[in-house]
Amino acid sequence: MSLSSPTSPGAASGSDALQYTEADSMEWSASTELPGNIASNPPSRRYQACDLCRLKKRKCSCEKPTCHACREGGFHCSYSRQDGRARNTLSCINCRRRKIRCDEVRPSCGNCLKLKRRCVYGKEQSTVAASPSFDSQTILFPPPLPEPDSSLDSDNVGAPCELPRSRSGSSPPPVPRHRSEGAITPPMEMNFSMGTSSNGSLEYPAFDPPWYSLYPAQTSRLLPSSFQNEYTYLKISADQVRLLLLSKGRPGDPVYCSLKTMNISRLAGAQLAYQALSYSWGQDVASKEIFLKDIDVPSNSGNIDDLFRIASVQAMPRRYYVRPNLSAALNRLRSETTDLWFWIDAICINQNDDSEKTHQLPKMLDIYCNAWNVCIWIGDSGESEDDRGAGNEAMEFIPTIVNLKVLDNMITGDKLDEHTASSWAKFAKLLQRAWFRRRWVIQEVAASRQATVQCGDKNINWIDFSDAVELFVAKLDRIRSMYSHTETSKHDPDALHHVESGGASAIVSISNNLLRKTQNGVILDRLWNIESLVTTFLHFEISDPKDTVYALLPLARDSYLPSAELSLLSSTSSISPDYSKSELRVFVDFVQHCISSTKSLDIICRHWAPPPNSFGAELPTWIGSVVNSTFGIPTKLSGRLNGDSLVGEAGRTVYNASRGRPADVHFKEQSHTTMGGLLTLPKGVILHTKGFQLGRITRASSRVVDGTLSDDCLKLAGWVPGMDVNNITDRLWRTLVADRTGAGKHTPFWYRRACMYCIMKLTADGDLSTTKLLDNKTLPETVLDYLRRVRAVVWNRKFFAVAGPNLTSDELFGMGSRRIQEDDCICILFGCSVPVVLRRRNREFSLIGECYVHSMMDGEAVAQLELGTSPFTIEEFDII
């Protein structure tokens, strides 16, 4: 929408008029008294109507600073200078605005030096023209943004616009695959900028941003007690997105940005040359200020009066606070010569509007897919004083890693030189940065056409970076062995630990296998379901617990999809983001969706949900917390905490304890009554299912600590000191490895011989220490393979014996969670591939965890039940 009004014959146009009017129309609190020398309106030689009254052609009371009509209507009132005479001045802009004498010393006058302000002089000519009569286009609205092509007009979308091409007609230059310094710049032929300056860039006023920052002593009560944004988001529809223009600037200058609202269809096929930023939010408060404005005000913002009020405010830069890591990224990526277009989730989405997040977050996959480059910001070179420059050194080491011949020469010797050892340690530390633990980055990398990794002022192509990570992980055991003999390891012995439990390896190895795309980056198919995604990437952090599921939804084939894609699927069962739901409801919906889509109960045995203390609600026991997962909470890189999961990966069962019977469940709301029966409140959700009990635990061993099986664990398994190792029982050697290899296959029989070898290596106390034996490199490699599997299975678990009232054979033997107790029930639930441990609570049960029961893992008990020879009885269980 555009408004027109007559202008005087001497009207100035372009950026000069915009700069003056933005300065004179700076908004002030009506209740604040300011000194006369910083009055918000320039002096007038005669009475004149305010700008808005002259535009509407109505009578004005000419009161200053706010006339009667504007005061009653709540509008911003401004007066433009009517005197067109020129005046000569050599003062700097700050002194002219404060109306104080300037000593006119360059490059910085005395007043600016005293106030520690950037001193800016006007144009080379010493004549500053007075502002012309009011013009609605320059006062109320910023200059319109020229579109890249007329076909992109919102009312007339024509043929798709291709990516900008160079003068020679070739495709835009690719991101360099080698190290380089400085910010990443888009194709230079891009014509998507403000049209007010001669070089096609967005012009902002040359003076320092807000007036009250020049007078901290006089206007301290104007500063907020906390960091409050002055910029206000305007509503956008479900088919719109915002792009951010990062204005050019020199290091140390304030950061100016502008938001442009457009239809999502205009991003399709890479019609617009913008970058999408992938970064970690961090835990810090949003305390770094930038200045944000709207390039234009949408015509659907309301009635005409609201439009005037919104336009007069949103057309000027307003304070907006961002987190320190994003502030550092904006300052590093900003160009000194070119305005750059970005999509940044923290700014382009109103994070305080749940309804907007609900319809904007599913668009992220398309936004990152259509960006000409995904810029991965992993932080500054040094995240602390002790770490200064380490990031740059790690980035410079990457070309050495991907040089295969050089890499082989480095790791074929017996010892690393100290410089190489230090480089490996710094590279490993780089992979522990927060970006590699953020859940949102998975889809951002998977959807990218091309990506670059930026650390400080160093950047490198994502392909080279991911190759370096995979080579590092592949050679990690050899590198660790050589590193342990260096002097560097004495100062930092844990530098190469926890590499496997970090997120870098998972992102690199899996991100390329999540989507099927064309050569041009167009997504053809999603390959994983939502259960596989959530349970695979469980060690990635989120700031909102709901994003445990929602951050991965766009990548899932069975999740929310646009209607055009949903119609192509054979099943329309899907789950969609809704931030108005509680965390508990989101998790319950996820579990319910997994059970209904797979007919399996294995999801209740997986540990994927964030810790309850992260959102203040108690989870049902059938929603597994990540605290009980193999490596625990993602923020604590403390190595292995629990044994490997027995249910295996989603979609690929390792056992078949329920013999393929589908899950038969439904969910019931649990409530309790308070206030004398007057108020009924929700208490939780009960999972109702069917199955049968194998028996109750009669004996339980001590917990396996650090991979050491105590003598009571071995005795419970049937081993007696002095027994002939040739008579070792199946339930001992098979249970120690859960009767499966690390790949989920049936155990080879040579595992029995390896177990016999290990039994002969018991300590004097009769314990089997897998950790100590693995450190003994003289043992046969087959024995070491067996010990690795044993340690991965038994870590932090207990062994138990089960005797049921109807069992006629010997007691059952198994292994389960460290939390099991005597009298707990061992049950097989229909639809669950492994037995589970339940604990009775009155009429209900709580889930303790999955377990292994020797000779009951492949449906033997269910087979007896079907033949009618089983002593077991089908029951119904209410699990809370």
Side-chain angles (χ1 to χ4, degrees), residues 441-504:
V441 308
I442 299 167
Q443 65 164 307
E444 295 167 1
V445 172
S448 63
R449 295 169 181 259
Q450 66 179 17
T452 51
V453 181
Q454 179 117 8
C455 177
D457 58 0
K458 303 290 183 181
N459 63 70
I460 196 167
N461 190 282
W462 169 254
I463 296 176
D464 291 343
F465 186 89
S466 59
D467 287 348
V469 173
E470 289 190 309
L471 289 169
F472 177 45
V473 174
K475 308 292 185 181
L476 186 58
D477 289 339
R478 176 60 180 164
I479 295 171
R480 278 176 176 164
S481 176
M482 298 176 67
Y483 178 80
S484 62
H485 296 93
T486 64
E487 290 295 324
T488 306
S489 66
K490 297 179 181 179
H491 302 288
D492 192 1
D494 298 330
L496 303 185
H497 289 187
H498 318 314
V499 174
E500 302 95 326
S501 59

Side-chain angles (χ1 to χ4, degrees), residues 90-345:
L90 295 176
S91 302
C92 72
I93 293 178
N94 287 333
C95 291
R96 291 209 309 269
R97 294 189 53 216
R98 296 182 62 192
K99 296 182 176 60
I100 59 177
R101 184 179 297 277
C102 178
D103 59 17
E104 302 176 3
V105 174
R106 302 195 184 205
S108 181
C109 71
N111 294 329
C112 292
L113 283 176
K114 182 178 180 181
L115 294 172
K116 297 181 180 179
R117 285 282 143 197
R118 177 184 166 209
C119 187
V120 179
Y121 286 88
K123 296 183 177 180
E124 289 303 321
Q125 53 269 44
S126 60
T127 301
V128 179
S131 194
S133 60
F134 170 73
D135 176 60
S136 62
Q137 185 67 21
T138 58
I139 295 292
L140 289 179
F141 301 99
L145 179 73
E147 307 297 346
D149 191 278
S150 59
S151 63
L152 298 183
D153 188 86
S154 58
D155 299 326
N156 181 25
V157 179
C161 176
E162 298 181 356
L163 271 172
R165 297 182 177 272
S166 64
R167 286 184 171 85
S168 61
S170 60
S171 299
V175 179
R177 290 177 52 89
H178 54 78
R179 283 182 325 222
S180 61
E181 297 187 0
I184 307 165
T185 57
M188 297 304 296
E189 293 297 320
M190 172 179 169
N191 182 23
F192 194 47
S193 59
M194 301 288 286
T196 59
S197 66
S198 59
N199 60 0
S201 61
L202 179 63
E203 290 285 344
Y204 278 103
F207 49 80
D208 285 341
W211 284 7
Y212 57 77
S213 64
L214 298 173
Y215 305 93
Q218 299 177 9
T219 60
S220 59
R221 61 178 179 271
L222 289 177
L223 297 176
S225 57
S226 60
F227 301 109
Q228 298 177 357
N229 294 327
E230 296 176 1
Y231 175 83
T232 303
Y233 282 96
L234 300 177
K235 288 283 187 180
I236 60 175
S237 61
D239 60 350
Q240 291 180 317
V241 294
R242 301 184 184 95
L243 285 185
L244 179 136
L245 181 67
L246 177 60
S247 297
K248 61 186 178 182
R250 293 175 294 183
D253 286 352
V255 175
Y256 284 104
C257 300
S258 302
L259 288 178
K260 167 75 174 177
T261 302
M262 63 184 63
N263 195 286
I264 182 66
S265 62
R266 297 168 66 183
L267 305 184
Q271 298 179 70
L272 306 179
Y274 67 93
Q275 297 184 73
L277 183 64
S278 177
Y279 70 106
S280 171
W281 280 33
Q283 302 297 324
D284 299 317
V285 177
S287 57
K288 301 296 183 180
E289 68 177 17
I290 64 174
F291 294 91
L292 193 60
K293 63 178 284 186
D294 287 332
I295 289 181
D296 55 5
V297 177
S299 58
N300 59 354
S301 300
N303 58 43
I304 187 64
D305 289 339
D306 291 337
L307 186 60
F308 280 117
R309 181 168 62 252
I310 293 172
S312 62
V313 174
Q314 299 291 87
M316 295 184 302
R318 316 288 291 176
R319 285 186 187 274
Y320 188 86
Y321 290 94
V322 297
R323 300 182 188 234
N325 191 40
L326 177 54
S327 175
L330 292 174
N331 279 281
R332 283 288 189 182
L333 299 175
R334 178 174 52 175
S335 170
E336 294 189 19
T337 58
T338 309
D339 298 330
L340 304 177
W341 286 95
F342 282 92
W343 188 89
I344 303 174
D345 56 355

